[in-house]
Amino acid sequence: MLASKRILLIIGAGIAAYKSLDLIRRLKERGASVTPVLTGAAEEFVTPLSVSALAGEKVYRDLFDLTDEAEMGHIQLSRSADLIVVAPATADMMGKMAAGLANDLASTLLMATDTPVLCAPAMNVRMWDHPSTQRNLKQLQADGIRFVGPNEGDMACGEYGPGRMSEPLEIVAAVEAQLGNGPLKGKRILVTSGPTHEPIDPVRYIANRSSGAQGTAVARALSALGADVVFVTGPADVSPPEGVQVIRVETAQQMSDAVDAALPIDAGVFAAAVADWRMATASDKKLKKSRDGLPLLEFAENPDILKRVSRLDAGRPTLVVGFAAETDNVLEHATAKRARKGCDWIVANDVSPATGIMGGSENAVTLISDEGAEEWPRMDKDAVAQRLAQKIADALTS
Ligand code: CTP
């Protein structure tokens, strides 16, 4: 709930601005007050009248409106909020923010504030992937700006990929996580999840049975405790949680790169079932049956993401948590794995088919740490996630 929270909503000039109207309603339903600011070009997408009618407040539109300055100067406007939400945050807006430009009301408010800022980016997929946007994203994250989305999907411009603004309820979840007083507020935590797919040729790949359910539940539980979660997921069966930054990957190498790009973090939870091997060279054409016999697949080793992060010299996260999916001698293998990888905790589970854990809704884990092995009763994956998130909160805040 957002009772008596004050949100300053900056609406950028993108087609996704229409979703901001619904966002205003959703925030107000939860008890927040919303002061809207429209950039000049945003008025091409939504009208000041509809924005102000939904917000029940005056819309701020122009830096040099002398009446506004007399009533509430832009400095005051930017500081009287509990949170500034930029939705949609266009490529142009992110560029200005990263560069420290202040040549209109929205960018001036963002420069003049010491209030936390949450951005919901929305732009064409090529613009999102462009090195300058990615550079700006990195810079803004380093400056402490929070992000929700963008999502992947069909875009208004007819292309497909990451760049769609998060849905209003996803943004609301991120606002709640940001404004709540959970014990993990201000902590940046990375979670890897799901399987990886390693291509053999354009139509075949090597995969595993991970559904991504446990990693998703962990990300959701951490976010509910107020963490700023970066969720790096392989092609999972379950949808990512709302209100976290989602980075979708396919291969182990892409997952490894995404993790590197997300550093520094306070903690990392590595729940992904990463393929240990990939094809030494994936064929760019479909392999055909031949009279010469069966094809020979040559493997190469994938980067061990957990091990690398655990052994970082500079910038090692305060807490690194790995998972150990075993089918036999679970405790023994998991204890050895913890030492080999150098992580702080290992969440060990038995994934032999009889347990029904892989792909199922329940899990039975043993948490292995410096303090020994703690066996948890079999429970719902959400319950495992909540217990783990609480333990992480205790460890990071003690
Ligand atoms: N992991 C990783 N990168 C890899 C392989 C595994 O980050 N290339 C992480 C997993 O996310 C998990 C932990 O390491 O947290 C253990 O994964 P698991 O597959 O059980 O271990 P392996 O390293 O594959 O060891 P083994 O093959 O001996 O079981």
Side-chain angles (χ1 to χ4, degrees), residues 192-194 252 255 269-277 301-308 321-326 333 337 340-341 343 345-347 349:
T192 67
S193 182
M255 186 171 275
V269 181
F270 295 83
V274 187
D276 291 320
W277 311 288
E301 197 163 339
N302 272 328
D304 190 324
I305 308 167
L306 173 63
K307 190 168 176 180
R308 212 189 48 244
V321 183
F323 274 66
E326 309 290 346
H333 282 149
K337 196 167 276 180
R340 198 166 67 238
K341 306 248 186 187
C343 56
W345 301 350
I346 279 268
V347 181
N349 57 3

Side-chain angles (χ1 to χ4, degrees), residues 114-370:
D114 48 9
T115 302
V117 177
L118 173 74
C119 281
M123 65 197 72
N124 166 274
V125 54
R126 296 258 169 92
M127 292 171 80
W128 175 252
D129 285 339
H130 196 279
S132 58
T133 306
Q134 291 302 310
R135 199 167 55 236
N136 291 336
L137 173 67
K138 247 345 229 164
Q139 181 59 53
L140 291 170
Q141 283 172 334
D143 293 346
I145 308 282
R146 302 297 173 90
F147 283 83
V148 50
N151 292 348
E152 192 165 302
D154 288 323
M155 316 204 65
C157 53
E159 289 188 72
Y160 182 92
R164 265 168 72 124
M165 187 166 92
S166 295
E167 295 305 317
L169 284 180
E170 294 176 303
I171 301 176
V172 167
V175 169
E176 284 176 333
Q178 176 70 34
L179 288 179
N181 267 330
L184 288 171
K185 191 169 160 60
K187 303 288 183 199
R188 181 171 161 84
I189 306 188
L190 175 126
V191 179
T192 67
S193 182
T196 62
H197 286 181
E198 308 296 329
I200 297 172
D201 66 17
V203 296
R204 303 180 180 94
Y205 55 83
I206 297 174
N208 58 65
R209 293 185 196 281
S210 166
S211 63
Q214 187 63 81
T216 302
V218 170
R220 186 180 296 116
L222 290 166
S223 174
L225 294 185
D228 179 15
V229 175
V230 183
F231 185 65
V232 180
T233 176
D237 297 340
V238 294
S239 304
E242 292 179 348
V244 307
Q245 187 190 344
V246 181
I247 303 170
R248 290 174 202 271
V249 297
E250 291 235 328
T251 65
Q253 186 59 56
Q254 289 165 357
M255 186 171 275
S256 177
D257 293 344
V259 168
D260 284 350
L263 299 174
I265 49 174
D266 293 293
V269 181
F270 295 83
V274 187
D276 291 320
W277 311 288
R278 65 176 182 278
M279 290 302 101
T281 341
S283 170
D284 56 0
K285 293 197 188 63
K286 188 181 170 200
L287 297 179
K288 305 295 281 180
K289 284 198 278 292
S290 97
R291 291 208 188 90
D292 309 331
L294 298 172
L296 272 183
L297 301 182
E298 197 190 327
F299 288 95
E301 197 163 339
N302 272 328
D304 190 324
I305 308 167
L306 173 63
K307 190 168 176 180
R308 212 189 48 244
V309 173
S310 298
R311 298 189 181 278
L312 279 175
D313 283 335
R316 184 192 190 276
T318 310
L319 182 68
V320 181
V321 183
F323 274 66
E326 309 290 346
T327 54
D328 58 282
N329 296 326
V330 176
L331 260 192
E332 194 186 315
H333 282 149
T335 305
K337 196 167 276 180
R338 173 171 172 260
R340 198 166 67 238
K341 306 248 186 187
C343 56
D344 302 300
W345 301 350
I346 279 268
V347 181
N349 57 3
D350 183 346
V351 292
S352 47
T355 65
I357 283 174
M358 210 152 193
S361 63
E362 290 185 341
N363 207 351
V365 309
T366 303
L367 183 74
I368 303 171
S369 68
D370 265 347

